[in-house]
Amino acid sequence: MKMKCGGGKRNFHSLIRSLLLRLCQNVVPSFFQRKQSEKKPYPKRRCNSGRTMEAQSENRAVTRARGRVRKQSEKKKPHPKRPYLGREKKLEVQPIAPSKNGELTIGDIARARGREVFPLHFLVECATGYALFLAHGINDIDMIKYQAEEYINRSDTPFELKAYLPFSSLGEALLQMNAISNTSVTEMLIKFIQKNFEPPFHRHVLTTADPFLGVKIVNNVGLSNHTSLLTLSVMRGLREKIDKLIGLQPGELDKAQRQLAHLYKDQKRTILDTKSPVPVSSSSFLQEQVMVVPHRFEGFFNAKGKKNILCTRNLVPGEALYGEKLIHVQNEDGTEVEYRVCDPRRSKLGAAILGGVTNIWIKPGSRVMYVGKVCGVTVSDLSDIVGLDGLVYVVGNSDDVTHMEGKRPNVVTIIENDCYYCHYRMVLGMVDAVFGEIDHPLGEIYRLPTKADNMNSKGHIIFSSGDINREFKLLQTVPLDLVEGAYFIDIGGYRMQPE
């Protein structure tokens, strides 16, 4: 058979192309269709919960949709702990401009921060109850020149008693003091504050002795809070007059403080489970004949015999703490007086007197705060010096001091850390002097309740080997060569007036 191929190579290429096209249309698709029919489907992927990935994606989509609907339906609420945020009227922030006298006041700082100047209240916790005071004109006090004393001693009383909530019993006072020691806010305190402030609460400023307690009151009630060196100084002066400002009878606050301190001490000792008290040691009487005359420091005496002996009048006749000798002297009227020998090798006060101290600032009737390493010898000396009209607050824990407290009514023990005055401020009144045996810097010693010199009372502090805060002036440093382990004693004054 003859095959006619017209056009030569061109016709041949067209024929081959048509055959390949027909092959692709018939053979190749059938091959791929057969392979697809033989191929098994992949199993569905599942997550750890057992659901398929497709179902999980659908659930996520539904959850996101519900969230969008909920956000659109809900209104924006203020923060629960700071309800006053966003509602306080914001003023334009301005730089602090000095006043005409060049003073910088609390009001100036508030205005510089873009805030309104609100009245300032003081919360005072004492052994008899809670007191709330309104401080008039405190926003105009100069914070740099430190005019706290001028403000406290103004002729017109700057403090107005807004409310006073007495404790119903000694047990309730102990419950509130435990909360104060732990820097916590009780329901009784919250109700007292809410009752005496009108909403909105953020328009009232409250200051407390413990700044951390003020923060918790802010979070629970919503009051504004302000604490500074100025307010702490004013608080100290306010606490000095608290019994008169709340209308207590003379001696009523002291009695409540002692009772609460004893109850607080018994509770602390039960928790600490300390050892039994050390018994009082025996003593002997001085055999030689002596003549006792007053010393140049009130409360101390000189027994003149073969040697001059420093001694104190024994507050508890017939008993001694560390085996010291006793001296009996018969007066002209036939009465006998007993004195305790003050050993300068064990008594730091005795060593300071023999070392040439010019003044110890402690005398009969003084109130002394003893902090640091508790020493029974020092406590007994202080107790004899101040007498029954004075008080010795011992902050610390010592078995022999606790035993002494039962026989010496002028000794009040507070089992607490001496660095945290805020914890025991309800039982510690204002003191005339602070005696501290410490081996660390004083730090924030200005928080201690020492009376200022220009408040018609001497406020001094006697402490050994510590740094001095700027509010104290170092008067004298005396070496204690006779006392084993002691180096020197520093004597300073709190806000001393220039001579």
Side-chain angles (χ1 to χ4, degrees):
M1 181 179 99
K2 293 182 180 180
M3 186 175 180
K4 186 176 180 180
C5 297
K9 292 182 179 180
R10 181 178 179 182
N11 293 335
F12 178 75
H13 290 162
S14 299
L15 178 61
I16 295 300
R17 189 182 297 110
S18 61
L19 291 175
L20 291 175
L21 181 61
R22 188 175 299 176
L23 179 64
C24 292
Q25 291 176 350
N26 298 328
V27 179
V28 176
S30 62
F31 172 79
F32 282 101
Q33 288 175 4
R34 186 172 66 254
K35 290 293 184 180
Q36 286 289 340
S37 62
E38 296 176 357
K39 187 177 180 181
K40 296 181 180 180
Y42 288 101
K44 294 184 177 181
R45 297 177 60 187
R46 297 181 179 274
C47 59
N48 295 332
S49 61
R51 296 180 300 177
T52 62
M53 298 296 290
E54 291 80 1
Q56 191 176 16
S57 300
E58 292 178 0
N59 291 339
R60 289 177 179 174
V62 172
T63 303
R64 287 194 294 268
R66 290 177 179 175
R68 287 192 294 268
V69 173
R70 185 173 61 254
K71 288 182 179 180
Q72 293 176 359
S73 60
E74 291 181 353
K75 294 182 179 180
K76 187 176 181 180
K77 298 180 180 180
H79 197 280
K81 292 186 178 181
R82 302 291 294 274
Y84 58 90
L85 289 179
R87 292 189 289 175
E88 183 178 353
K89 183 180 179 181
K90 296 293 183 180
L91 303 177
E92 184 180 355
V93 179
Q94 299 290 341
I96 302 179
S99 59
K100 296 180 180 179
N101 299 329
E103 299 177 350
L104 180 63
T105 65
I106 299 177
D108 294 336
I109 295 178
R111 285 184 287 268
R113 293 177 177 176
R115 300 176 182 175
E116 296 183 53
V117 181
F118 300 126
L120 185 61
H121 298 78
F122 283 79
L123 175 66
V124 181
E125 314 93 340
C126 58
T128 59
Y130 290 120
L132 187 65
F133 293 91
L134 174 62
H136 294 287
I138 193 172
N139 290 321
D140 300 327
I141 300 179
D142 184 14
M143 298 183 65
I144 297 180
K145 294 183 180 179
Y146 221 81
Q147 298 174 342
E149 281 74 23
E150 289 81 352
Y151 173 78
I152 295 171
N153 296 323
R154 278 180 8 187
S155 56
D156 55 328
T157 304
F159 301 111
E160 175 187 345
L161 179 61
K162 190 170 183 179
Y164 173 62
L165 178 62
F167 298 138
S168 60
S169 63
L170 190 60
E172 186 177 62
L174 179 63
L175 180 65
Q176 299 300 318
M177 182 174 177
N178 289 332
I180 292 296
S181 300
N182 298 325
T183 317
S184 59
V185 183
T186 62
E187 184 179 358
M188 178 180 179
L189 180 58
I190 292 296
K191 291 182 178 179
F192 172 69
I193 294 176
Q194 291 177 339
K195 180 180 179 181
N196 293 283
F197 287 104
E198 298 179 356
F201 294 114
H202 72 277
R203 299 186 66 85
H204 306 280
V205 184
L206 183 70
T207 184
T208 56
D210 185 0
F212 298 102
L213 181 66
V215 172
K216 291 198 174 182
I217 294 177
V218 167
N219 293 336
N220 283 272
V221 182
L223 292 171
S224 300
N225 178 259
H226 178 83
T227 303
S228 62
L229 292 178
L230 175 64
T231 58
L232 290 175
S233 299
V234 173
M235 175 71 76
R236 186 164 46 234
L238 180 59
R239 295 182 69 89
E240 183 182 1
K241 305 177 180 180
I242 183 65
D243 53 343
K244 298 178 182 179
L245 292 175
I246 61 180
L248 297 180
Q249 297 296 326
E252 184 178 353
L253 182 59
D254 290 342
K255 181 181 179 180
Q257 288 175 341
R258 293 193 190 191
Q259 292 177 346
L260 183 57
H262 292 322
L263 192 62
Y264 186 69
K265 176 207 64 179
D266 295 339
Q267 172 192 259
K268 279 282 189 178
R269 288 189 63 84
T270 302
I271 297 175
L272 295 175
D273 192 20
T274 57
K275 300 178 181 179
S276 58
V278 178
V280 176
S281 60
S282 60
S283 60
S284 59
F285 293 96
L286 194 66
Q287 300 299 327
E288 60 178 291
Q289 296 293 327
V290 296
M291 180 179 63
V292 179
V293 295
H295 194 271
R296 63 189 180 97
F297 296 142
E298 291 187 69
F300 280 99
F301 298 87
N302 273 332
K304 295 185 176 181
K306 294 181 180 179
K307 296 181 179 180
N308 288 340
I309 302 174
L310 188 66
C311 57
T312 59
R313 186 168 182 173
N314 194 1
L315 191 67
V316 185
E319 293 187 351
L321 180 66
Y322 52 95
E324 68 274 16
K325 293 184 180 297
L326 302 178
I327 303 174
H328 271 189
V329 176
Q330 188 173 8
N331 296 328
E332 296 179 356
D333 57 358
T335 59
E336 287 189 352
V337 181
E338 185 177 284
Y339 298 91
R340 296 171 56 243
V341 174
C342 183
D343 189 353
R345 293 170 298 180
R346 308 183 69 175
S347 172
K348 294 180 176 61
L349 281 176
I353 291 175
L354 295 183
V357 65
T358 57
N359 202 331
I360 61 173
W361 303 106
I362 301 174
K363 59 184 180 180
S366 297
R367 296 192 176 193
V368 183
M369 179 181 178
Y370 182 93
V371 297
K373 297 180 179 179
V374 179
C375 176
V377 177
T378 305
V379 175
S380 64
D381 290 341
L382 293 173
S383 175
D384 286 343
I385 296 171
V386 302
L388 293 177
D389 294 333
L391 277 177
V392 180
Y393 294 98
V394 181
V395 183
N397 184 25
S398 176
D399 293 332
D400 55 350
V401 174
T402 303
H403 180 70
M404 185 195 316
E405 182 185 16
K407 300 182 179 181
R408 292 177 175 264
N410 61 355
V411 176
V412 179
T413 305
I414 304 172
I415 303 179
E416 274 288 354
N417 191 324
D418 61 288
C419 297
Y420 299 101
Y421 162 68
C422 288
H423 290 180
Y424 49 88
R425 61 184 179 272
M426 289 181 64
V427 297
L428 183 59
M430 302 300 296
V431 297
D432 300 294
V434 178
F435 188 97
E437 296 188 33
I438 57 178
D439 54 2
H440 57 82
L442 289 181
E444 297 180 348
I445 197 68
Y446 59 83
R447 295 177 183 272
L448 293 178
T450 311
K451 297 178 183 178
D453 200 19
N454 51 3
M455 293 181 185
N456 299 323
S457 60
K458 297 294 182 181
H460 296 83
I461 179 168
I462 303 177
F463 48 87
S464 55
S465 54
D467 294 339
I468 301 175
N469 189 276
R470 66 181 179 87
E471 297 187 47
F472 291 90
K473 178 183 178 182
L474 179 63
L475 301 177
Q476 189 181 13
T477 299
V478 179
L480 303 179
D481 298 331
L482 298 176
V483 181
E484 182 180 357
Y487 300 100
F488 60 87
I489 185 169
D490 291 337
I491 300 178
Y494 172 71
R495 295 190 185 173
M496 298 289 295
Q497 292 293 329
E499 298 179 359

